[in-house]
Every structure is written in structure tokens, then in C-alpha cells.
């Protein structure tokens, strides 16, 4: 039994070594579930595993994989749980430093679709026969998918369309598929040095609650949609942005 009296579940969190994914993985592991975290950087995953063990006595399993690479995804399948109760598609990133001209445009668009769409779609399609009855797929997109954000926002919006069809395909077997779309979240690697004090203040001012998000805010939304109680919610987009769409 998990901490809250429910059955122990197998949870896979992509991008679980840092930021929002780490907050999600920590919550699930604290509740007593079996958690696998996936990312490209071995040293980051192993440092996270060590830290969780030493500081909180929690055990999570690291799996190194570039989720945008089909060969890599195929190769790690034996290292992922035979039965998956919850898949959190959280891995994703945005690269601003690309060149100009058609080649720059191509690099940005192709890159954003690889970084954000393929990282969710390849692993989900590969695991679809392993989802348990009452399984959960929760995919992390962005407010950029709803308010506009160039190729990055378009790639996250593509996940919204994909999620609708996934929800229809997996619904008959009891699996729900939902989206969490965060606004600005500080304390992750996503923005690198771009999120300085002035930018944080500007972004906080766009919300109705006067602050930017924390990884734990997004983790709480993910855990709700992944919970056994949320079985009648599917194909949904849960915004987690402090009212940013209304506030601007
Ligand atoms: N922070 C924000 O303000 C914000 C706002 C809206 C949405 N989001 C979304 O939230 C999600 C988590 O971002 P975050 O803010 O927590 O940033 P983060 O700290 O950079 O987390 C992203 C994680 O994804 C992993 N990852 C990236 N590409 C991968 C790939 N190809 N294969 C496997 N793992 C990959 C990264 O690890 P490796 O580099 O080791 O692979 C990293 O652990 C992303 O999808 C992001 O688009 C963030």
C-alpha cells in the first residue's frame, strides 16, 4: 500500500531529473509509489537519485534516454516497468539560439517539434500496451500553446491535438489522457539565465495572483490528474498559470 492507502503504482516521469519533473517524481515517491525518471544526462539523473536517497530516504530509478531518438527509446523499453500506471510526459525544452534565414527557421521549427512533440509521442506510443486498466497519461505543455509562442508554442499546441485523439483511443481501456499547461515556473533549468529579477517581476505582473509558478504548483496539478479519483476527466487541458491568460 502507498502512503495514502491506495495501491502502489508504477510511475514514469520524463525529464524527472530537474525542475517540474523532479517535483512530480518527488511527490509520487514520497507517497510510496515506484518512480522511474528519464532524461538524457546520466550525471544529472544519478545526482538526483543520490540526493533523494540521502536527503529524503526516497528511491527512484534512473533511465538514460534521448526521448526524441526512436533508437534510444526502443533500446530503453526493457528498462521501463512492464506495467505502467502513470506516464508523465514532462520532458521538453526551448532553444532560442538558432541562425537566421530559412535554415534557421527550419532548425527552430524542426527542433521544437523534436524537443517537445516527439519526446512525448515516441515514448507514449511505445508504452501503450503496458498501460494498466485505470492508467493515466499526463502531458506537460505550456501557456504558450494557448497564447502564442512561435514554434515552441505551436509544438506544445500540437500535443493538445494529439492528446484529444489519444484520449479517444485509450479511453475504452480505462486510461485517461490529460494536459497540464503551466505558465512561467521559476526554479527550473528551462529559462537558464534569461529569467533575471526584472523578467520575473514582469512575468509575475501578467498573472492574477502576482507571482510566477513553482515546480510544486505544477506537480500538484499533475498528481490530481494522475490520481485514481480523476478517472472521469479525460481529453482535458488544465491551465496552471496564476490566471495569466486573463491577466494580460
Ligand atoms: N519553466 C517554465 O516556465 C515552463 C513553462 C511552461 C511549460 N514548461 C514545460 O515544463 C516541462 C519541464 O520543464 P522545466 O521548466 O522543469 O525545465 P527543465 O528543468 O529544463 O526540465 C526539462 C527536463 O526534460 C529533460 N529532457 C529534455 N529533453 C529531453 C529529451 N530529448 N529526452 C529526455 N529528456 C529530456 C531534461 O533533462 P536532460 O537535459 O538531461 O535530457 C530536463 O530534466 C517542459 O516540457 C517545459 O516545456 C516549463
Amino acid at each position: 500500500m502507498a502512503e495514502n492507502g491506495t495501491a502502489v503504482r508504477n510511475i514514469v516521469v520524463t525529464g524527472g531529473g530537474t525542475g517540474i519533473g523532479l517535483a512530480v517524481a518527488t511527490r509520487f515517491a514520497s507517497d510510496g509509489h515506484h518512480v522511474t525518471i528519464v532524461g538524457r544526462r546520466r550525471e544529472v539523473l544519478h545526482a538526483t537519485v543520490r540526493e533523494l536517497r540521502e536527503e529524503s530516504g526516497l528511491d527512484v530509478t534512473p533511465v538514460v534516454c534521448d526521448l526524441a531518438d526512436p533508437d534510444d527509446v526502443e533500446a530503453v523499453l526493457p528498462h521501463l516497468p512492464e506495467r505502467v500506471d502513470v506516464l508523465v510526459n514532462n520532458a521538453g525544452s526551448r532553444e532560442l539560439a538558432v541562425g537566421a534565414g530559412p535554415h534557421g527557421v527550419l532548425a527552430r521549427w524542426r527542433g521544437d517539434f523534436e524537443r517537445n512533440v516527439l519526446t512525448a509521442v515516441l515514448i507514449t506510443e511505445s508504452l501503450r500496451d503496458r498501460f494498466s486498466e485505470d492508467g493515466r497519461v499526463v502531458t506537460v505543455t505550456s501557456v504558450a500553446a494557448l497564447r502564442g509562442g512561435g514554434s515552441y508554442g505551436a509544438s506544445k499546441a500540437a500535443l493538445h491535438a494529439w492528446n484529444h485523439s489519444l484520449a479517444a483511443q485509450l479511453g475504452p481501456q480505462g486510461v485517461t489522457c490529460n494536459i497540464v499547461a503551466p505558465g512561467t515556473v521559476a526554479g527550473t533549468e528551462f529559462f537558464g539565465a534569461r529569467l533575471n529579477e526584472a523578467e520575473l517581476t514582469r512575468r509575475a505582473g501578467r498573472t492574477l495572483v502576482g507571482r510566477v509558478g513553482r515546480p510544486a504548483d505544477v506537480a500538484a496539478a499533475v498528481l490530481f490528474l494522475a490520481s485514481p479519483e480523476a478517472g472521469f476527466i479525460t481529453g482535458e487541458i488544465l491551465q496552471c498559470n496564476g490566471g495569466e491568460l486573463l491577466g494580460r
Side-chain angles (χ1 to χ4, degrees):
M1 282 290 175
E3 285 294 311
N4 57 5
T6 59
V8 172
R9 296 189 290 168
N10 291 331
I11 318 284
V12 177
V13 184
T14 72
T18 66
I20 293 168
L22 172 57
V24 171
T26 306
R27 282 280 311 266
F28 276 120
S30 303
D31 286 346
H33 299 292
H34 294 148
V35 180
T36 303
I37 56 175
V38 186
R40 288 167 299 183
R41 290 167 299 168
R42 178 180 303 276
E43 65 286 2
V44 169
L45 290 176
H46 283 268
T48 295
V49 168
R50 248 192 335 271
E51 221 169 280
L52 286 176
R53 189 173 299 143
E54 285 165 12
E55 288 178 11
S56 319
L58 300 174
D59 261 324
V60 301
T61 305
V63 168
V64 179
C65 177
D66 180 348
L67 292 162
D69 178 343
D71 291 331
D72 235 18
V73 171
E74 202 155 42
V76 297
L77 289 178
H79 305 289
L80 295 174
E82 275 304 308
R83 191 196 78 235
V84 175
D85 299 299
V86 179
L87 170 63
V88 182
N89 286 315
N90 161 78
S93 63
R94 181 177 200 172
E95 175 60 64
L96 294 177
V98 285
H103 288 286
V105 173
L106 177 67
R108 183 179 302 116
W109 278 79
R110 185 175 277 166
D112 272 330
F113 272 71
E114 284 177 4
R115 284 184 284 268
N116 296 295
V117 180
L118 291 184
T119 50
V121 173
L122 291 180
I123 187 76
T124 307
E125 296 294 339
S126 304
L127 292 177
R128 62 191 292 156
D129 292 337
R130 300 193 192 182
F131 292 131
S132 56
E133 206 177 293
D134 219 24
R136 304 276 181 263
V137 180
V138 183
T139 299
V140 177
T141 64
S142 171
V143 67
L146 303 167
R147 60 175 288 161
S151 52
Y152 170 74
S155 70
K156 293 296 199 182
L159 289 172
H160 293 182
W162 168 69
N163 186 66
H164 291 325
S165 46
L166 191 70
Q169 288 160 11
L170 299 182
Q173 65 191 73
V175 178
T176 67
C177 305
N178 290 290
I179 299 282
V180 173
T184 300
V185 177
T188 82
E189 294 184 351
F190 183 76
F191 286 101
R194 299 197 299 279
L195 208 55
N196 55 29
E197 276 308 310
E199 184 61 11
L200 272 174
T201 305
R202 190 182 76 77
R203 285 169 179 262
R206 284 202 309 219
T207 71
L208 299 182
V209 297
R211 70 167 177 88
V212 297
R214 308 175 185 108
D217 293 321
V218 185
V222 170
L223 263 87
F224 166 63
L225 289 172
S227 69
E229 292 82 1
F232 201 50
I233 302 172
T234 195
E236 201 49 76
I237 299 168
L238 177 54
Q239 293 190 50
C240 183
N241 58 32
E244 182 178 332
L245 273 193
L246 301 170
R248 64 176 177 158

